[in-house]
Amino acid sequence: MSVRMVLMGPPGAGKGTQAVRIGERFGVPTVSTGDIFRANIKGGTELGKQVVEYTSKGLLVPDELTDRIVADRLAQPDAAAGFVLDGYPRNPAQVDALDEMLAAADTELDVVVEISVDSAVVTERMLRRAELEGREDDTPETITERLAVYAAQTEPLAEIYVNRGILAPVDGLGEIDEVTDRLVAAVEPFLAG
Ligand code: ADP
C-alpha cells in the first residue's frame, strides 16, 4: 500500500521508533532527517561538519541544507511509491519546500500524524535515552532548547495540516505496540484503497 506520510511530535515523543515501525507496516522507506544528520556527523562527512554546530545546540539546521537532503532522498526510486517522513518539515518554510517537491513529482501528502506526549514525560524519556544511547544532544540544556524550538516553530504546523483536513492526532503515551496500533488506526482512513 502506498502512503505519503509525515510524523510530527516533540523530541522524545517516540517518533523515530514509530516511524520505522509504520514504514515497515506499509512497506515504504522511513526518511529521518535526524538520523541522516547523525550518520553524517559520525562518518565525518562534509555535511556532518556543516550541521553539527546546529544539532549539538538543539537548533534547526538551515533550511537550504535540510531541504536539499530531503529532496535528494525522496527522489530515490524506493520512495516513489511512498514514505514516512520523520523530523521534516519542522517550520513553515520547510512545509512549502516539501509541497514543492511533491508537486514536482505530481503527488501530495496523504496524512500528517501528530504524536502528543506531555513535556515532563518527554524530558524524562530523553534523559533516560541519553544514558542508554549516549546521544550527545540529550543533555538537559539541549533538551530544553529542542522542546522550545518545537513549541515555537514546529507545533504551529499542525494547524496548516488541520486546515487541509489531513491531520491525525495520536496519543503517544503507553506501550510502544499500543501506540503503533493507534497510529495505524489513525492513518488508515486517509489512505485511498
Ligand atoms: P528530536 O526530534 O528528538 O529532537 P531528531 O533526531 O529529529 O531529534 O533531530 C535531531 C536534530 O537534527 C535537531 O535538533 C536539529 O538540529 C536537526 N534536524 C532534524 N531535522 C531537521 C529539520 N527538518 N530542519 C532542521 N534541523 C533538523
Side-chain angles (χ1 to χ4, degrees):
M1 186 187 279
S2 126
V3 56
R4 293 185 178 81
M5 165 175 163
V6 165
L7 207 50
M8 284 178 61
K15 259 186 327 220
T17 306
Q18 296 297 340
V20 171
R21 291 173 148 235
I22 294 297
E24 282 168 4
R25 185 74 70 102
F26 291 105
V28 295
T30 299
V31 176
S32 160
T33 45
D35 284 352
I36 294 172
F37 291 146
R38 276 187 289 279
N40 277 276
I41 293 167
K42 204 164 163 221
T45 68
E46 199 49 47
L47 173 69
K49 287 178 194 139
Q50 286 174 292
V51 302
V52 71
E53 60 176 302
Y54 302 96
T55 61
S56 63
K57 296 189 192 116
L59 302 173
L60 294 189
V61 171
D63 290 341
E64 60 269 25
L65 273 177
T66 309
D67 294 341
R68 183 153 47 80
I69 299 301
V70 174
D72 287 350
R73 182 62 188 87
L74 294 187
Q76 303 289 312
D78 67 328
F83 51 79
V84 175
L85 265 176
D86 162 23
Y88 184 93
R90 253 175 154 96
N91 63 25
Q94 293 182 6
V95 169
D96 293 342
L98 177 60
D99 285 342
E100 282 170 28
M101 288 170 216
L102 296 178
D106 210 16
T107 60
E108 56 185 10
L109 287 176
D110 297 307
V111 59
V112 175
V113 174
E114 183 184 33
I115 304 183
S116 51
V117 185
D118 182 79
S119 76
V121 174
V122 296
T123 305
E124 196 200 310
R125 280 186 185 175
M126 281 188 282
L127 288 171
R128 200 163 353 119
R129 182 172 69 186
E131 286 172 20
L132 297 175
E133 296 177 14
R135 247 180 78 165
E136 63 173 333
D137 62 347
D138 280 345
T139 64
E141 299 74 30
T142 317
I143 290 170
T144 305
E145 182 63 31
R146 281 153 60 209
L147 287 169
V149 168
Y150 185 80
Q153 304 199 45
T154 310
E155 206 168 61
L157 307 185
E159 201 186 322
I160 297 176
Y161 294 119
V162 167
N163 292 335
R164 293 188 195 177
I166 58 168
L167 191 88
V170 169
D171 179 359
L173 263 187
E175 296 296 321
I176 291 177
D177 280 343
E178 209 178 316
V179 177
T180 306
D181 290 345
R182 270 183 225 145
L183 261 153
V184 171
V187 164
E188 263 161 1
F190 293 88
L191 305 182

